[in-house]
Amino acid sequence: MNLEQLVRKNIWALKPYSSARNEFKGEASVYLDANENPYNEPYNRYPDPLQWDVKKKIGEIKNISPENIFLGVGSDEPIDLMIRAFCEPHCDNIVMPVPTYGMYEVAADVNAVPCKMVPLTNNFDIDAEKILAATDENTKLIFLCSPNNPTGNSLNREEVIKVIRGFSGIVILDEAYIDFSSQPSFLPYLKEYANLVILQTFSKAWGMAAIRLGMAFASVAIINILNKIKYPYNINILTQKHVLESLEKAGQVKDWVDILLTERENLVKGLQKVSYITEIYPSDANFILVRTPDANKIYEELVKKGVVVRNRNNITLCLGCLRITVGTAEENKRLIETLKEL
């Protein structure tokens, strides 16, 4: 992989903005360099633009160097930045299987980058040969999501590796739901494949969707490109402090995951007793995809009774499907009882 040939020429040549906190690193007794208000500490000071304390703690937990970590406003920020950095509008393109997480296409559309869609197989898996066959000389990125959203299944690892090995551009593997999966993360493969970028998030297993913090793991060269084009202070001090505190409670997260995995099994058993649910798909995530005769009607009836699930009826290969998040035991019980009443 020749990174310089993949990156947009203007991005490669770009001289990034240098903030006051980029130019001075360390501690001082008087800060008069950033035009900050000297009052209302600590919120009057700009946060660390590269979030090194947070990255070091994440690195310890994930067993990865902080230099290989990018932090963004949710995973959506690195998704957008990857497209902006590597894809020339109206020229380059990206490839993705469908159905999958909808923000890949939205971010591409915002950046005027065409998407090539490759339907998943009947069991919601990828066919590496078909994915690679959809690429051309202008394909810069391939997006994969495993466990996949909205289907819930982990993609076949051998097929994922075939895509990574067979593509001369960059493969972005979104592992937002990896903590709930029986499959291990692809993080150890970063050392082997320079064209691999892995996305993870604090929104799911860590229970912090409200703070909007996502992680991208990649080679130092790719991380440097993302840092070059991100906004200077993209992660605020409140988020950084809260995450640092939460990272000290990794054991609590494991407990939550264990509970949710048990509740996922219980939810499946409950759904099996709902007569009109025709199929319950295997899940490696914290949600379950089910097929029904009339997803629109069931969704509307559930909403009337105060229970909200996600209607995926209009998504490729998901006719009649509802996506159900695993909740607490009480929430799951109410859902099943409500479904039986319809």
Side-chain angles (χ1 to χ4, degrees):
M1 184 186 71
N2 187 322
L3 195 61
E4 183 175 355
Q5 289 182 354
L6 288 174
V7 176
R8 294 171 61 192
K9 290 181 175 58
N10 66 306
I11 299 298
W12 189 263
L14 178 69
K15 182 179 179 181
Y17 174 76
S18 182
S19 70
R21 293 296 169 261
N22 283 119
E23 294 174 7
F24 175 79
K25 297 180 177 68
E27 298 293 329
S29 56
V30 178
Y31 290 95
L32 301 175
D33 58 341
N35 299 339
E36 300 157 326
N37 188 324
Y39 306 109
N40 195 35
E41 292 185 352
Y43 307 113
N44 59 327
R45 301 298 180 188
Y46 286 108
D48 177 1
L50 293 175
Q51 313 95 28
W52 285 116
D53 287 345
V54 181
K55 288 178 179 177
K56 288 174 184 175
K57 190 62 182 178
I58 292 172
E60 293 173 6
I61 293 173
K62 302 286 185 179
N63 193 29
I64 193 167
S65 171
E67 286 78 12
N68 295 107
I69 304 173
F70 174 86
L71 298 182
V73 181
S75 295
D76 295 338
E77 184 177 11
I79 288 168
D80 177 65
L81 291 179
M82 288 296 297
I83 295 173
R84 284 165 53 193
F86 290 92
C87 297
E88 197 67 47
H90 304 293
C91 176
D92 295 325
N93 64 74
I94 67 177
V95 169
M96 69 182 74
V98 287
T100 193
Y101 180 44
M103 273 305 297
Y104 311 143
E105 183 179 5
V106 171
D109 289 345
V110 168
N111 289 284
V113 174
C115 296
K116 292 186 175 183
M117 311 292 193
V118 181
L120 293 172
T121 64
N122 289 334
N123 62 340
F124 294 141
D125 214 335
I126 59 168
D127 183 323
E129 290 186 6
K130 290 182 178 180
I131 294 285
L132 294 171
T135 66
D136 58 33
E137 65 275 10
N138 292 320
T139 304
K140 295 293 186 67
L141 308 174
I142 294 176
F143 281 91
L144 302 175
C145 185
S146 183
N148 188 43
N149 179 9
T151 59
N153 59 300
S154 293
L155 302 180
N156 184 290
R157 294 180 72 84
E158 287 73 23
E159 293 297 294
V160 172
I161 292 171
K162 285 180 185 177
V163 172
I164 298 169
R165 288 178 174 173
F167 185 49
S168 58
I170 295 175
V171 176
I172 301 164
L173 181 61
D174 190 343
E175 293 188 336
Y177 301 95
I178 193 64
D179 298 279
F180 304 102
S181 176
S182 58
Q183 298 288 333
S185 169
F186 268 79
L187 279 177
Y189 286 85
L190 285 176
K191 295 178 181 178
E192 187 174 350
Y193 301 115
N195 67 329
L196 177 61
V197 175
I198 295 174
L199 304 179
Q200 293 185 9
T201 181
F202 284 96
S203 295
K204 310 303 178 184
W206 287 84
M208 291 188 281
I211 71 167
R212 309 307 305 129
L213 190 67
M215 299 166 278
F217 304 92
S219 69
V220 173
I222 292 177
I223 296 298
N224 287 342
I225 290 169
L226 297 180
N227 285 332
K228 179 191 278 193
I229 64 175
K230 78 174 183 69
Y231 289 118
Y233 301 108
N234 61 325
I235 308 299
N236 67 71
I237 190 63
L238 297 175
T239 294
Q240 293 189 42
K241 285 187 173 182
H242 186 76
V243 171
L244 274 174
E245 293 171 1
S246 298
L247 286 168
E248 298 293 338
K249 305 172 185 177
Q252 174 68 74
V253 175
K254 184 182 182 303
D255 291 342
W256 288 339
V257 169
D258 290 342
I259 292 170
L260 288 171
L261 292 180
T262 298
E263 285 306 316
R264 187 177 71 190
E265 294 178 10
N266 293 337
L267 183 56
V268 168
K269 292 176 182 177
L271 291 168
Q272 289 171 341
K273 298 176 182 178
V274 179
S275 60
Y276 54 82
I277 290 180
T278 58
E279 191 154 10
I280 303 169
Y281 293 97
S283 176
D284 254 349
N286 69 328
F287 60 85
I288 299 168
L289 189 73
V290 301
R291 195 177 296 274
T292 70
D294 191 341
N296 291 339
K297 180 180 179 181
I298 295 169
Y299 172 79
E300 291 168 2
E301 291 299 319
L302 285 173
V303 169
K304 289 178 184 177
K305 295 180 179 294
V307 178
V308 183
V309 297
R310 192 78 187 271
N311 187 354
R312 300 283 76 187
N313 184 64
N314 61 339
I315 301 297
T316 303
L317 300 179
C318 291
L319 181 65
C321 287
L322 298 172
R323 192 191 71 189
I324 303 171
T325 304
V326 179
T328 64
E330 293 76 14
E331 290 171 331
N332 298 334
K333 180 181 178 181
R334 183 179 172 191
L335 167 72
I336 298 300
E337 291 174 347
T338 305
L339 285 170
K340 289 179 178 180
E341 293 171 357
L342 299 184

